């Protein structure tokens, strides 16, 4: 169940409420009993892989390997 962050405008406390997405916009009273609260914007951290266990492909690294000209002249 998603969790939503709220801030009470009366006392300044921040609190979290777990509720279904269908109730995301419903008002949430402060744990101290105040009704003047505002829902905060929050970021979502999603971790995992795109294809069920296989890591996402990495782009190839640019260039060769060594200093001045990509590694071909050193030796």
């Amino acid at each position: 169940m998603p969790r939503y962050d709220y801030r009470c405008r009366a006392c300044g406390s921040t609190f979290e409420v777990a509720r279904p997405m269908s109730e995301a916009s419903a008002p949430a009273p402060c744990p101290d009993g105040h009704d003047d609260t505002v829902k905060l914007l929050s970021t979502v951290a999603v971790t995992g892989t795109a294809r069920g266990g296989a890591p996402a492909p990495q782009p190839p690294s640019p260039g060769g390997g060594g200093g001045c000209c990509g590694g071909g002249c050193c030796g």
Side-chain angles (χ1 to χ4, degrees):
M1 185 170 308
R3 295 179 179 265
Y4 300 96
D5 295 323
Y6 292 85
R7 178 172 294 136
C8 178
R9 291 181 181 167
C11 67
S13 67
T14 301
F15 58 98
E16 195 174 78
V17 176
R19 56 172 49 165
M21 290 175 66
S22 61
E23 297 176 17
S25 60
C30 169
D32 293 329
H34 306 117
D35 289 326
D36 190 12
T37 61
V38 62
K39 185 174 146 189
L40 302 175
L41 292 177
S42 58
T43 58
V44 176
V46 178
T47 60
T49 58
R51 290 180 264 163
Q58 298 295 317
S61 58
C68 61
C69 60
C73 64
C74 300

